[in-house]
Amino acid sequence: MNSQTIKTWAWVHKWSSIVCTVFMLLLCLTGLPLIFHHEMGHLLGTEVEAPKMAPGTPHASLDKVLSVARAQHPDRVVQYASKDEDDDNLWFVTMTPTPAPTDDFRSVAIDARTAQVLAQPRFNEGFMFVMLRLHVDLFAGLPGKLFLGFMGLLLLVAIVSGVVLYAPFMRKLDFGTVRRNRRTRLKWLDLHNLLGGVTLVWLFVVGATGMINTWADLAIKYWQYDQLSSLMVPYQGQPTVPLAERGSVQRSLEAAQARVPDTKLSFIAFPGTAYSSPHHTTFFLKGNEPFTSKLLQPVLVDAKTSEITAAPKLPWYLMALLVSQPLHFGDYGGMPMQIIWALLDIATIIVLGSGLYLWLGKGRIAREPKEEAAEARALAGADGTP
């Protein structure tokens, strides 16, 4: 690799790193508690648990559960309903002023067996809510998500350019060498390169999946336009189904599960919401295996007649989105994977912090001895690298 090519790669690496590093630091810091979101919920006392009952206690009708939820907030409509991931005896019902997407929502936790209200947790406030919003969209909605997606793209550029630069810059040193007897700046540069190499694959995977996740809203809207619009032709000109005219949701759920056997419910999107149509109750079902439990199968059921309209297969881009979301937070392998994710996250924080230190302190190179300064300039051609 000639000197001009190295300079070009160094420029790309330096500026892609500098632009994204502060935001990547923010994402790593906010992502750390999110890795342990269930454990943090128990620690903060926000987790809801269903009371112990005899195994096999029958569940109440979903229609009764929804009726109880509506009675808590009669001025609101049910947007979504879902079973707790770890407890089949617990329903969470989300209620909003209108079916349209909004941050103004109320959640009602209901015992699936007795249809009694257990709690009304506030998921839109508190420490974990702030961490999630900062991590997902910086409290800026879709523009914030797309901005963070662009920062993720710059991170991938910085990683690729860093790999290209590492070999020629470190050709005289063994991998992982940390020159402890040299000046502080060179020791930090060696540590930066060492941890960067250790976290390379993980950071690329997390950065890529995070970038994909920022496209979720646009991907869903495109899916609705591209594949669901044809299913809405028979309903053209009809208003959203009023609550009084809707059929049994329990019967609709049973029909959906019969259409796709060996699955369990992930969540229900009611008519007019972002994940459904104005005329359907859409049931999102998932498999029972570790991998298939992350994939969803939508079943659209006519809200009036409780008859199935369609069960379309999700396109590849939504499948990629569903796979990337749990991988991003280490949700595939239980606690061992969460711990590994957390350790790599901490290592990445050190990489990003040392990159900032190297860039902010580059002016001190000129005051170092000539030989060391020349070496430092060569090795620090990618100051600020993540």
Side-chain angles (χ1 to χ4, degrees):
M1 188 183 297
N2 59 49
S3 60
Q4 185 57 46
T5 302
I6 291 177
K7 288 180 180 179
T8 300
W9 277 108
W11 184 91
V12 170
H13 185 67
K14 175 180 178 179
W15 288 106
S16 61
S17 301
I18 289 172
V19 172
C20 76
T21 292
V22 171
F23 295 99
M24 291 302 109
L25 263 174
L26 172 67
L27 294 179
C28 286
L29 291 170
T30 55
L32 194 56
L34 293 176
I35 294 172
F36 301 100
H37 57 281
H38 285 304
E39 292 75 14
M40 290 293 293
H42 286 291
L43 180 65
L44 297 173
T46 57
E47 288 287 297
V48 181
E49 296 183 357
K52 299 293 184 182
M53 291 187 181
T57 301
H59 285 190
S61 167
L62 179 53
D63 296 304
K64 183 177 181 181
V65 170
L66 296 175
S67 176
V68 170
R70 293 189 188 98
Q72 308 307 307
H73 300 281
D75 57 331
R76 292 171 176 260
V77 298
V78 176
Q79 220 183 27
Y80 303 107
S82 63
K83 285 286 188 73
D84 184 83
E85 288 185 4
D86 303 316
D87 189 350
D88 189 55
N89 296 317
L90 195 59
W91 279 104
F92 285 99
V93 181
T94 302
M95 309 188 70
T96 53
T98 67
T102 177
D103 292 330
D104 179 12
F105 63 89
R106 298 288 184 271
S107 294
V108 183
I110 299 178
D111 191 310
R113 300 153 299 183
T114 64
Q116 293 182 345
V117 175
L118 299 176
Q120 296 194 46
R122 298 299 297 268
F123 294 119
N124 56 347
E125 62 182 31
F127 173 75
M128 292 301 290
F129 173 72
V130 173
M131 292 297 100
L132 179 63
R133 289 298 304 272
L134 286 174
H135 193 85
V136 170
D137 63 5
L138 300 175
F139 286 92
L142 181 58
K145 290 181 181 180
L146 297 180
F147 174 79
L148 290 178
F150 179 63
M151 292 300 104
L153 176 61
L154 289 181
L155 172 67
L156 301 183
V157 172
I159 292 173
V160 172
S161 56
V163 171
V164 173
L165 290 169
Y166 185 79
F169 285 161
M170 299 299 288
R171 61 183 177 271
K172 295 181 180 180
L173 297 173
D174 293 330
F175 174 77
T177 299
V178 178
R179 291 164 290 179
R180 296 181 178 84
N181 59 337
R182 306 298 289 273
R183 290 181 180 271
T184 301
R185 179 179 171 80
L186 282 178
K187 287 188 288 186
W188 272 107
L189 181 61
D190 290 341
L191 182 63
H192 177 86
N193 288 331
L194 170 61
L195 291 178
V198 170
T199 60
L200 176 68
V201 175
W202 178 84
L203 187 55
F204 191 90
V205 169
V206 171
T209 54
M211 182 179 65
I212 292 171
N213 290 343
T214 64
W215 302 336
D217 292 350
L218 296 178
I220 291 168
K221 287 184 182 299
Y222 179 75
W223 171 65
Q224 291 174 323
Y225 168 79
D226 181 54
Q227 297 197 10
L228 297 189
S229 57
S230 60
L231 300 175
M232 300 302 106
V233 173
Y235 298 91
Q236 286 182 353
Q238 298 182 23
T240 302
V241 182
L243 179 61
E245 298 180 14
R246 295 179 189 177
S248 168
V249 182
Q250 177 66 42
R251 190 165 67 250
S252 298
L253 173 59
E254 293 169 357
Q257 291 179 319
R259 177 67 174 266
V260 189
D262 300 322
T263 59
K264 56 184 178 180
L265 180 69
S266 177
F267 71 96
I268 306 169
F270 289 87
T273 57
Y275 291 86
S276 191
S277 83
H279 316 286
H280 292 88
T281 303
T282 303
F283 298 86
F284 288 86
L285 308 176
K286 58 184 179 181
N288 296 310
E289 301 299 325
F291 180 73
T292 60
S293 67
K294 308 302 180 183
L295 303 178
L296 300 180
Q297 170 62 60
V299 180
L300 281 74
V301 181
D302 189 293
K304 279 187 177 183
T305 65
S306 298
E307 295 180 357
I308 294 176
T309 298
K313 294 292 184 182
L314 289 181
W316 66 269
Y317 52 86
L318 286 185
M319 297 287 278
L321 177 65
L322 292 171
V323 170
S324 70
Q325 286 177 338
L327 183 60
H328 184 73
F329 289 107
D331 279 350
Y332 276 113
M335 181 57 70
M337 190 169 182
Q338 287 176 285
I339 293 174
I340 293 172
W341 246 235
L343 292 175
L344 290 169
D345 187 284
I346 293 169
T348 301
I349 291 172
I350 298 174
V351 172
L352 295 167
S354 61
L356 280 178
Y357 164 76
L358 292 170
W359 179 66
L360 294 173
K362 65 180 181 179
R364 293 196 295 271
I365 293 179
R367 297 191 295 273
E368 295 176 354
K370 289 183 179 180
E371 298 81 5
E372 195 163 292
E375 183 177 16
R377 287 193 189 96
L379 290 171
D383 278 348
T385 105

